[in-house]
Amino acid sequence: MLEDKNKERTSLETLGEFGLIEHLTQHFTTKQPTTIKGIGDDAAVLDFKKKKTVLSTDLLVEGVHFDLSYMPLKHLGYKAVMVNLSDIYAMNAMATQITVSIAVSNRFPLEALEELYAGIQLACTTYGVDMIGGDTTSSKTGMLISVTALGEASEENLAYRSGAKENDLLVVTGDLGGAYMGLQVLEREKEVFKVNPNNQPDLEPYAYIVERQLKPEARKDIVELLAKLKVKPTSMIDISDGLSSEILHLCKNSEVGCALYENKIPLDPTVISTCEEFKMDGTMIALSGGEDYELLFTIDQADFPKIKGNPNLTVIGHMTDKSQGANLVTRAETLIPLKAQGWNSFQTE
Ligand code: ADP
Ligand code: MG
């Protein structure tokens, strides 16, 4: 939130477009065997041999998807990559390459873009993906970032949203609601800061959820874990908009219903305590808060012994006949139909 007045500011105009691209991408190297040619020609060249190629794109717009007043640019670069890798892992595939396209105004100095690319590079090295190209253009006002991720999987391993069967178990990774509650804390501190800029926020008690918002991790480890356990999900999706809307996607695409048990939804203690502080309901936040980037999948009941007791995986329900609908089974054992109250970018308030 505090701007460092002593930081150097090199205007983008001093480099020109080609100089800028070269400067930002100079430290990136490619390691994937499927990358034949990365940055530096008119197009990248890839060779996936006998594997299926998986591809996903996201567009992030300043003021809609991110707020630079509390989002450091390095984190933004990292998160922009995570959002996309998460989609690749949600197909039960391994991410291999990304492209990154940006539109920036001259309000951003070179140093700001260096930060952005440092985050992108950290994501690439941590997750073992190659950056193989992109595009750079100017914007009159805000910043735009579009990332495209590519991945590979053998045909039999691909997990679609459409494969869930009646009686399959519904499984979620990690815990839910953290990213949304982290955002609530950051928004509150932003308001406090507006009133009193000398007020340094103490975010320490909220470290876990603030990190869930600012530095999410895509669940590559789960794709590896499932392969090791020899569990092939019958369907899978990543949780970007909230549990409720993702469950409804699985139900709709698989033509099944679902019973989700409220008392099984995994919540971190920090989420529970912050919900109390904000007078919010933890279940509601898990159902409707977005950006957790966990994986939600279904497995055949016969595979239950393979995942039982794994601390990364929680069985939260099971799939039912379509006619029964998708329901939350509350702690009081009443049924409430699930609604898609997830974050929707076209929603008018
Ligand atoms: P073209 O004029 O054909 O669009 P560019 O000059 O935009 O070519 O790009 C030259 C090379 O740099 C290409 O390999 C392209 O993919 C890469 N590139 C351009 N912008 C970016 C960026 N923001 N991040 C990463 N690579 C980029
Ligand atoms: Mg170009």
Side-chain angles (χ1 to χ4, degrees):
M1 261 179 255
L2 296 169
E3 217 176 289
D4 187 351
K5 299 278 186 312
N6 300 320
K7 262 196 195 152
E8 245 183 278
R9 289 179 65 91
T10 311
S11 157
L12 292 182
E13 284 139 47
T14 59
L15 284 119
E17 186 190 325
F18 299 126
L20 175 64
I21 296 170
E22 217 172 278
H23 182 85
L24 293 176
T25 60
Q26 62 185 332
H27 301 299
F28 285 81
T29 55
T30 62
K31 295 197 177 64
Q32 288 285 343
T34 48
T35 308
I36 308 300
K37 173 75 192 174
I39 294 167
D41 212 308
D42 296 307
V45 181
L46 308 173
D47 184 358
F48 284 97
K49 304 213 160 64
K50 288 187 174 140
K51 292 282 186 75
K52 291 284 175 265
T53 310
V54 180
L55 182 146
S56 181
T57 297
D58 273 291
L59 177 62
L60 301 178
V61 179
E62 184 179 355
V64 179
H65 303 100
F66 58 91
D67 183 334
L68 291 174
S69 59
Y70 52 69
M71 187 76 163
L73 278 159
K74 186 171 176 183
H75 286 76
L76 177 62
Y78 193 87
K79 185 169 176 174
V81 179
M82 285 311 123
V83 171
N84 275 270
L85 299 191
S86 180
D87 283 321
I88 301 295
Y89 300 136
M91 298 302 292
N92 204 29
M94 272 295 145
T96 47
Q97 290 91 5
I98 58 163
T99 64
V100 177
S101 298
I102 54 169
V104 281
S105 69
N106 49 19
R107 141 184 164 231
F108 295 97
L110 175 66
E111 287 74 16
L113 296 187
E114 284 175 349
E115 282 294 300
L116 180 75
Y117 273 72
I120 293 170
Q121 190 168 11
L122 180 62
C124 285
T125 49
T126 308
Y127 284 78
V129 304
D130 293 346
M131 168 139 91
I132 55 159
D135 200 19
T136 311
T137 184
S138 59
S139 146
K140 288 269 189 299
T141 51
M143 179 186 278
L144 268 96
I145 307 173
S146 176
V147 178
T148 296
L150 285 124
E152 61 181 6
S154 60
E155 185 163 12
E156 64 273 16
N157 279 339
L158 282 172
Y160 294 92
R161 294 178 177 184
S162 55
K165 300 272 178 296
E166 190 179 347
N167 297 325
D168 280 357
L169 298 176
L170 183 65
V171 184
V172 71
T173 65
D175 53 72
L176 300 174
Y180 185 84
M181 292 317 293
L183 183 63
Q184 298 312 303
V185 170
L186 288 166
E187 295 273 9
R188 181 179 68 185
E189 295 312 323
K190 183 180 164 184
E191 291 309 312
V192 172
F193 183 78
K194 272 188 199 158
V195 178
N196 183 2
N198 295 319
N199 199 337
Q200 284 285 351
D202 178 18
L203 294 179
E204 175 53 32
Y206 308 102
Y208 176 68
I209 56 175
V210 167
E211 177 140 341
R212 293 284 285 170
Q213 169 60 221
L214 295 182
K215 193 169 179 284
E217 301 290 350
R219 301 305 309 254
K220 177 187 185 185
D221 60 326
I222 299 296
V223 178
E224 291 165 341
L225 175 70
L226 292 174
K228 203 180 91 193
L229 297 174
K230 297 195 164 51
V231 174
K232 157 84 201 286
T234 52
S235 70
M236 184 144 70
I237 189 168
D238 72 325
I239 304 185
S240 49
D241 296 342
L243 185 58
S244 192
S245 92
E246 316 303 1
I247 288 178
L248 290 171
H249 281 307
L250 291 184
C251 288
K252 181 160 185 273
N253 284 276
S254 298
E255 296 187 57
V256 291
C258 174
L260 164 69
Y261 291 87
E262 181 180 20
N263 63 356
K264 305 280 187 207
I265 298 173
L267 301 175
D268 185 85
T270 316
V271 171
I272 295 171
S273 60
T274 313
C275 278
E276 278 168 13
E277 192 185 330
F278 280 78
K279 302 205 167 22
M280 288 175 172
D281 178 53
T283 302
M284 274 305 297
I285 299 309
L287 289 175
S288 304
E291 301 196 292
D292 285 317
Y293 300 106
E294 294 294 342
L295 292 174
L296 177 72
F297 57 91
T298 53
I299 61 167
D300 192 289
Q301 290 218 3
D303 281 334
F304 178 63
K306 299 182 196 166
I307 67 150
K308 195 180 165 200
N310 191 298
N312 290 295
L313 308 174
T314 310
V315 177
I316 54 173
H318 61 266
M319 309 321 264
T320 61
D321 185 82
K322 189 183 176 186
S323 64
Q324 290 177 261
N327 296 292
L328 176 73
V329 184
T330 67
R331 289 195 181 86
E333 291 188 15
T334 51
L335 292 189
I336 300 176
L338 289 174
K339 280 197 220 83
Q341 286 160 324
W343 186 86
N344 179 339
S345 56
F346 295 107
Q347 212 164 290
T348 47
E349 295 247 345

